[in-house]
Every structure is written in structure tokens, then in C-alpha cells.
Amino acid sequence: MANLFEKMLSADISRRDFLKGTVAATAGVAGLSMTAYAADSNLTTAPVEHAPVVDNEEGGCWVSAACWHNCGGRCLNKALVKDGVVIRQKTDDTHADTPDFPQQRACQRGRSQRMQVFGADRLKYPMKRKNWSIDDPHGELRGEDEWERISWDEAFTLTAQAIKKLYDQYGPETCFVLGGSQVPKVLQGLGGFTPRWGQVSWGAWPDAYKFVTGNAGYTNNAPDRFTLREQKLVILWGANPAVSSAGLPEYNYQQAHKAGAEFVVIDPRYTESIKPLDAQWIPIRPATDTAMILGMIQHIVASGLHDKEYLDKYCVGFDRDHMPTSDRPEWTYNPLERNSFVYTSKDIDPDDNFLDYIMGEGKFAGEGAKTPEWASEICGVPAETIKELAVKYATTKPASIFAAGAPARINDGECFPHALCVLGMVCGQLGRDGASVVSCMHNAASNGGPGLVSGGGAGAKSNVPANPFPQKTYAMNNGEMWNAVLNGEHTMYKDAETGEVVKYPVNIHMLYQGMGGALNQRQAMTQGIQAYKKVDFALCTNYVLNTSAKYSDIVFPCTTEWERPGTLLTGNREALFFGQHIVEPMFEAKSDIEIGQGLADKMHELYPDEFPYTAADICDISEWQQVLNKLAGATFTNASGEKKTLLTITADDVKRYSEKAGEELMLEPQEGEITLAEFEEAGMYQVDVADSAVYRNYPFKAFIDDPEANPVDTPSGKFEIHSQAMSDYIEWVGFSSKDPLPVYPHITEGYEDGIANNRPFQLITHHYQRRSHHVFDNLTWLREAFPQELWVNADDAKAMDIKTGDIVLLESPYGKVARPAYVTERIVPGVVSLGEGAWAQLNKNGVDEAGATNTLSSPVPTGQGHTGFNSNNCLISKYEDQSILPDAQWPKRIIFAD
Ligand SMILES: Nc1nc2c(c(=O)[nH]1)N[C@H]1C(S)=C(S)[C@@H](COP(=O)(O)OP(=O)(O)OC[C@H]3O[C@@H](n4cnc5c(=O)[nH]c(N)nc54)[C@H](O)[C@@H]3O)O[C@H]1N2
Ligand SMILES: Nc1nc2c(c(=O)[nH]1)N[C@H]1C(S)=C(S)[C@@H](COP(=O)(O)OP(=O)(O)OC[C@H]3O[C@@H](n4cnc5c(=O)[nH]c(N)nc54)[C@H](O)[C@@H]3O)O[C@H]1N2
Ligand code: SF4
Ligand SMILES: [Mo]
């Protein structure tokens, strides 16, 4: 390892950048703020030759390098490797950039990746918290104790002994696995573990969309990017593609704009997405969107602009003549994360129809109509604006509404996706002429449809029993898990007959966090820290000292994708990326698989009778063999719609890979579309989708063409404006209730709660350019380019004498955060916003000075078990200590300097 560091130091990079990394190189920062797409699509670059594998000037090799994060994009990254060190990075220059066949360019995070891989704050050795032992854990010192370097043998021995002791004493459910897959296989061999569940990304979309439309494509059911160009109006409802779908989405939307689509953005913040699309900005109060939608629908119906024929033909529940009936058999729903749920169709009382609800008639007469004026009081959008948008959407066709997860990432969130889909139905826009209403974010944004490329399977098997405590039954929900660790029970479901919420007792004495970082990234972190401090043993695998690692007792250092044999990356429907082996493992880091295998061998050595498994039972083939298998199984969809083998792999290729691997790899040579060498050189394969109509995506076409022959998968076979099944399901989950109609519900920690409980600021937590969640938060370049600052409305700030740069204290009943203010008119009054994912750093008074938003969020599970990150009731004030260092000058979490 020392050898590699010597090479790095002698290479063309300053020691300070790589090893200390506390001051950003200014030249780099200027480059960082570039967006990954061309702002003007006329600016196509001239065709370039394939990037030379060898860079003559620098004398290194360009190798395609993984960018593997859950970042909402998927792009091409390349690393210039010289003498085993990465000295530069670049992105896609494999072909000319045109709107129809665009380059897959990396963002500022991907281009900073080498700072992560070679960072001085990489975890270098297995380590143990100084005052921890399984007999005397000193949990109260977690997060503050010193670290000791230990050998892998000691790390595996101490871990195996601790696990065995706890499993003997409390049984296998005592270990709560927050994330990761390889160490849990060892736990399976010992009898299992308690898993975790709950939707965070798409908020209430997944189950709600399925109940209402009968289709599980809550994110993919958007038009593809060519059909998108046929839309006349696009509403981005709480979606910020320029930031949270890095890569091509904003550029694709620009093509639709150039082709004539008008854009509207509904968001509490004036976002980076708005200007490039010439969009109208409609500022809105968070978590009140359902009220605005109902106001729009009421105005459309009152103006006679609704599509009665569509509603009668495709929907149930709109008016008293079209209510769901009991004439269809039992309908089974297999939700993503819980047990399957059976709904028996019922006759629904015609009095419960949606039309009466919005018009304030029939049984709803006492409530009044859901007029734009009514909505305006709640959501803060002027009634006139609501009416204008309503008429525009009802009369401009085809028009699509793309929401992100954000507006549904609120407590009691199901009514938002439900109401939004109903708005589409009322205007006859859901599924007609490619128009769509869908949660179109992350890497499906702007380009819906099934993936056109795929990597093959790894072909690896493990030979340990399945976990007998499955995800769908015994898992603990994100919103309850810390409370369950502290207090010993969590919700299983609510018994419909007795009305009792059935609780499941747990006795958690161990926490394991592999990939992911639930402590920082799930709600109620302050309670999470208490839970960490309570258990006997906390184990973590990571390559940096993130929050989970910091509060653990033993930390296994793992490799990054750059140090592993390789990986195929998907997520972008048109392109498959090859992350190749770039460097040898840093210091003593091991891959997750090696860690699982090492622990299994140790467990077997110590307890052969109770644990009859060894490394091969965790994973039976090498990681190099897995790469070859994935390459061999890679496919693409050709212009006739057929799935084809992508790669030609020869016997020489297999020999070449065997040499790299230092072992004999097995693979039958095969014929494909391109050679493996071509794939390696380009680093990706991109389908030319302009080529054929086969690649187009028209959601719901078959149902719209013939609803009788092609019913959707709801209890009624139609789109459900009245969904008793969803209501019963949410009741069964056991956290809260959902009206069968898309009403404006009470939202825990919503706007009204804030007024009532005297915490009038609503905190929202946007996804931020600096990070992919909490990945990259430690990189100096990104810290300098994107400071962690609190957006505060200019009028609010004036009233409180807060100026940009002043340190502001944010308080909720769950925690406190202090951060500099960014005073701006880009956010609505009464709302503050902080980028999610900063690495919590609590000072001696328990105030988090890094600005980790989950310090403030509440342990409240609602609805389908999703998390309500986007409305937390807070107070703000000027902080007493104004001396917090600028982010880029914060010391790094360097444990062992070398
Ligand atoms: N307040 C608030 N909180 C949020 C959100 C929000 O909007 N607001 N958003 C939520 C959303 S949408 C999501 S998806 C979650 C994300 O939550 P997580 O998935 O928990 O977060 P990531 O930051 O992606 O964490 C990835 C971690 O895994 C580590 N890692 C990466 N590769 C490997 C590997 O190969 N092996 C191992 N062992 N570790 C690896 C990284 O170093 C990093 O620490 O956060 C949620 N949290
Ligand atoms: N840079 C970056 N990009 C990412 C990620 C990341 O960590 N960093 N994470 C990826 C992942 S896993 C996910 S799940 C996605 C999340 O993707 P999104 O959900 O699109 O991301 P957000 O930034 O949370 O929210 C989008 C917009 O919704 C607005 N918003 C918040 N609350 C409300 C509301 O109540 N109503 C309305 N109308 N608007 C609201 C926010 O101001 C924001 O501008 O992002 C992905 N992309
Ligand atoms: S968008 Fe994601 S995959 Fe693309 S370069 Fe940025 S971090 Fe990497
Ligand atoms: Mo997410």
C-alpha cells in the first residue's frame, strides 16, 4: 500500500489535495459548477474519435470507472490511470452529442470520485472502539470514544464471539440489520436476524399508484423522451430534475420545450430546473398540494371542462352512477414491502361519490365545495392561479404531470398521488396520446419505459438458509425502529375484526449496518443515537467514517467499486455502463463479499458445530468470475424489439481476464453485437432509440383502446377514484387511516399542525448537488462549491434580523441544528429548506452543527409505512454561537493517518 501512496505523491497531484483535502483547489471548483448537459441543444459538439485508451500526453490509460451511487443519474466516468494511480477524470466523449443520441456526461460528484476513493479519510484498517468489549460495552461512549487499530483476524474473532454470545443469550432476532447483504448471510447461518422496511424515496407513490391505476409502474409509466416531445404542456409537480435527476432529464425536457411544450413548476422553492425551461413557477406551501389539486378539479368540473365520457368509461367512484360494486371476486394485492393483502369487493354507498365531495353536495353539504378559494387558504397559491392552471391543463392536450417523490414524501401522503391521478382522469389525460400522470424522478425522469439494456447475473450462489424472519412480516418500519430498539415492540398489522393493532415484541442487542447509512438517513436520528448507545454491539462496514460507523464498536473497512474486479451499472434505460477495475484495494480494505466470507470462516473455526458453513457457503465463485458472468449475460433490445446478447467474448478474452484475476475463469465463447474490447474502450453501450418506434412508451395504451378486454389490475378493473381497497390496506398496515376518496387529509407535522403547536416553520429537505444522500459529503471540492446552508425566505429573515451567512438555530421536539442562512426570495414564507444528507456532528450541547436534517425529523410512521421528510414543524432563531467554520475547512474524519 505504501508503494501506491508513494506513486500517488510523485504523480501530478498535490499532496495536500489528496491527503489532507481540507482546502479546495480553486481551478477545480470552477469546473465543478458546470452542469452535466449542454444548456442549448444547438450546441452539438463535433464528432470525436473514440477516446484513445492510452493518453500519449499523460502516458496513462483511460479506463471506464464506476459511479455507483443512488444519485438519480447514471453516467459515464473515466479515470486516467498511470502507474496504478488515477491522475485525471473525464466523461463521455465516445460520440458526438446530439439531442437524439446524447452523450452520457457525468456531474460534479462523479468527476470528484477520485477524491473519495483516494481520500485521506478512507477507513484503512479494521478498528475497534477502545472502551468496548462484549462483556462491558460502555455504550454511552459511542460516537466519542477513541479507535484502536486491530487486525482482520482480531476483528473477525471479536465479532464472531460477540454475535455468538448475543444469539445464545437472546436468540437470532436480537440482531437488527439496517442494511447490507453479506454479513447478514452469516447471521442467517446462525438462525436469522430482524430486518427493516419502509419506503423513503417515492413517499406514498408506490402503493397509492397501484391501487388507483392497477399498475405498478409508479415511476416508469411516463412517456419516453421522444413521446415527451409531443406533449403540449408539462407540469413538474414538486420535481427538480436539474438537481435530483442529474444527467439527461433536464436536457430532455428542454427538447420537449423546444418542440413546443409549455412548462409549469409547482414547488416551494424557485429551483434550478425552472429557468432553462422558461417555466412558470407556482410557489406552494409544502404538504398542501392535495388541496390545490382539489381546487383545480372543482374548478374544472364547475366550468364543465371535465371529460365525462372518459370518466364513465375508464373510472369508478366519480359520481353516484359509477360506484364500485361487489361483482368482482377477491382481489389480492402483493405490496412491495408487506404481506400480501386480500380485498373482497364491496358495494360502495353511492353517497360516497367524489363529485359530491368536491362540490360540497349530498352527504358532504356541510363541508362546502372544494373551490380554488378554499384551496388557496390552505396552499397559499392565489385562487386565480389555481383556476388558470386548471383551465390550461383541461384544455391543452396532450399534457403530462410529472411529480417527484418529494410532495408525497410527507406524513399521511397517499391522498397526493391519488388526487393527482384523479386530476388526470377528470381531464381525460391519463393514458391518452402518451400523456401521463406519474412520479417521474430519479433515473427514470423524462424518459419512461422498460430498460433497454441489462447486465447478466453474477451467477454466484450462497448456501445458507433464508432468513426465517422475512422482510414482509417481521421487519421493523423506519418510523418505529429506533423506538422498538429502545422500547421493545413494533407494529405488525391492525386486525380488521378486533380493530387491535398487533404488536410484535423484540429484544434488540445488536445493530448491523452494511451498505447504506440508516442512522443519518432515516428519520429521528437523535432517537437513533440513543438506540445505538443502548445496544451491546454495533457493527458497521463502510469505506469512510460516516455516522453509522462513527457510532459503532467494530468497523470493517471495505473497498469501493474502483478497487473491485468490476461492475455493470444500469438505471438509465438506454445505456449500460462498465465500471472496470481501476486500482488495487486501498490499505487493508476488503470487498463486502470477502468480509462476509472471512467472518463465516472465523465463525466456523470457533463454533464448528453450531455454524457448519464456510466462505464458499457465503459465495461460491470468485468476484472476477462474477464480472465475466455479468458481461456474458449482458443484453440490449434491438430495433425490432428483440432482446439480444450484447457482447462477443472470445477464448482470448477469457484468458485475458484469467490473467487479470490470477485464476482460471470459465466461460464458453459467445457471439454478440459488439466485442468485449469495444465495450471496454467505450465504457458503455448506448441504444440508439431514435432508430425505431419500438422504443416508444405509451402507458395504459391497451386499457384505453379497449378497457373491457384489457382491464387494469384493480378490484374493479378500472381506474379507482374511490378506492376502498387502498383505504382498507392502509388501515391494515396499522399506522394511520386513509379515506377511500382523495380528500385533503390531516397531515401530521403539516402546515396546520405547525400553526396549532406553535412551530410555524415547515422544514423541507431537498436532495442536494453536493451529495448523493450522505455519500460525498466529506469531499472538500464539493463542500466548497455547495455549502450546507439553510434557505430562509427574505421577509421572514427581515422580521427576525437574519442575514445571509448568519448562523441560525433550527429546533424541533426531536433535535437541534445550527447552520448559516441563505436568505432568498426563492423560497416561500414560512418554509425553510436544508439539503438532506450532511454527516451529523453534534456539539457538546447536542446541537448538530453539520445540518443533518434527520436530527430534526420525527419518529412517525404513517400510511403505507413511508417517511414524511418534507414537512417537519420547526422554530428558527439566531444562534448564540456565530463561529462555525466554513464547510470546506472542517477537519476530515481521519482515523489512522497512514
Ligand atoms: N431528511 C431526509 N432524509 C432522507 C431523504 C430526504 O429527502 N430527507 N431522502 C431519503 C432517500 S430518498 C433515500 S434513497 C435515503 C438514502 O439512504 P441510504 O441508502 O442509507 O444513504 P446513502 O447516502 O446512499 O448511503 C450509502 C452508504 O453506503 C456506503 N457504501 C457505498 N457503497 C458501498 C459498498 O459497496 N459496501 C458498503 N458496505 N458500503 C457502501 C456509502 O459510503 C454510504 O455510507 O435517504 C433518505 N433520507
Ligand atoms: N443531487 C442529488 N440528486 C439525487 C439524490 C441525491 O442525494 N442528490 N438522490 C436521489 C434519490 S435516491 C431520490 S429518491 C431522488 C429524490 O428526488 P426528488 O423527490 O425530485 O428530490 P427533492 O429535492 O427531495 O424534491 C424535489 C423538489 O420538490 C420540492 N418539494 C418538497 N416538498 C414539496 C411539497 O410538499 N410540494 C411540492 N409541490 N414540492 C415540494 C423541493 O423543493 C424540490 O425542489 O433524488 C435522486 N437524485
Ligand atoms: S449523476 Fe450520479 S452517476 Fe452520474 S456522475 Fe453524478 S453521481 Fe455519478
Ligand atoms: Mo431515494
Side-chain angles (χ1 to χ4, degrees), residues 71 109 238 244 266-267 269 287 289 404 406 409 767-768 771 773:
C71 57
R109 295 178 297 274
S244 59
I266 302 169
D267 199 303
R269 300 182 307 135
D289 302 80
R409 217 179 285 123
H767 290 76
Y768 192 25
R771 296 177 287 262
H773 305 292

Side-chain angles (χ1 to χ4, degrees), residues 222-299:
D224 63 280
R225 64 189 174 90
F226 286 88
T227 307
L228 176 72
R229 295 182 196 171
E230 292 158 13
Q231 303 295 300
K232 300 279 176 289
L233 171 69
V234 174
I235 303 177
L236 296 178
W237 203 303
N240 185 15
V243 169
S244 59
S245 307
L248 291 164
E250 180 81 358
Y251 182 59
N252 293 337
Y253 286 127
Q254 284 176 340
Q255 305 317 313
H257 179 53
K258 271 181 65 178
E262 190 181 336
F263 276 76
V264 177
V265 173
I266 302 169
D267 199 303
R269 300 182 307 135
Y270 183 89
T271 64
E272 299 77 354
S273 303
I274 295 174
K275 188 92 198 306
L277 298 170
D278 287 332
Q280 176 192 2
W281 176 39
I282 301 185
I284 189 166
R285 219 166 250 151
T288 64
D289 302 80
T290 303
M292 172 160 171
I293 297 164
L294 292 171
M296 285 173 72
I297 296 175
Q298 197 277 343
H299 186 69

Side-chain angles (χ1 to χ4, degrees), residues 604-826:
H604 183 69
E605 183 191 318
L606 296 177
Y607 314 104
D609 296 337
E610 292 95 328
F611 191 83
Y613 310 100
T614 59
D617 295 307
I618 299 299
C619 181
D620 65 343
I621 57 170
S622 78
E623 291 178 60
W624 276 102
Q625 182 68 54
Q626 292 180 39
V627 177
L628 207 53
N629 293 348
K630 287 181 193 172
L631 289 164
T635 64
F636 74 105
T637 303
N638 73 11
S640 311
E642 299 152 338
K643 222 178 203 191
K644 291 284 188 188
T645 299
L646 179 62
L647 297 172
T648 296
I649 303 180
T650 63
D652 274 353
D653 289 327
V654 178
K655 211 170 131 208
R656 196 159 52 86
Y657 272 67
S658 298
E659 276 161 18
K660 287 195 210 184
E663 63 175 273
E664 196 185 341
L665 304 178
M666 311 296 283
L667 191 81
E668 281 300 310
Q670 63 177 47
E671 284 292 315
E673 177 74 5
I674 58 168
T675 66
L676 178 54
E678 285 169 327
F679 188 52
E680 285 167 1
E681 185 183 334
M684 68 165 176
Y685 179 78
Q686 187 173 346
V687 178
D688 188 352
V689 290
D691 213 27
S692 164
V694 159
Y695 302 124
R696 296 294 197 94
N697 191 46
Y698 291 93
F700 299 114
K701 189 166 186 316
F703 173 65
I704 295 294
D705 288 348
D706 187 346
E708 303 306 325
N710 309 301
V712 290
D713 184 19
T714 58
S716 64
K718 295 192 171 179
F719 291 155
E720 300 214 338
I721 294 174
H722 184 290
S723 174
Q724 189 62 47
M726 173 157 42
S727 179
D728 288 3
Y729 173 68
I730 299 293
E731 203 64 33
W732 175 82
V733 171
F735 297 138
S736 59
S737 299
K738 155 86 175 68
D739 197 284
L741 292 173
V743 302
Y744 177 63
H746 168 253
I747 287 166
T748 307
E749 300 251 342
Y751 163 61
E752 294 84 351
D753 272 7
I755 302 292
N757 62 27
N758 249 341
R759 283 182 280 130
F761 284 92
Q762 284 177 280
L763 170 71
I764 56 174
T765 61
H766 57 275
H767 290 76
Y768 192 25
Q769 289 101 317
R770 162 155 145 190
R771 296 177 287 262
S772 169
H773 305 292
H774 74 307
V775 177
F776 297 112
D777 193 48
N778 50 329
L779 302 202
T780 306
W781 282 4
L782 296 171
R783 285 184 169 197
E784 187 168 21
F786 302 103
Q788 178 71 354
E789 55 198 5
L790 179 74
W791 292 44
V792 183
N793 170 269
D795 288 344
D796 291 337
K798 199 169 169 202
M800 304 176 82
D801 192 26
I802 292 168
K803 296 184 193 61
T804 289
D806 287 352
I807 313 288
V808 170
L809 181 71
L810 262 155
E811 291 174 85
S812 82
Y814 313 102
K816 292 180 185 176
V817 157
R819 272 282 96 194
Y822 161 51
V823 174
T824 175
E825 284 166 4
R826 291 174 58 197

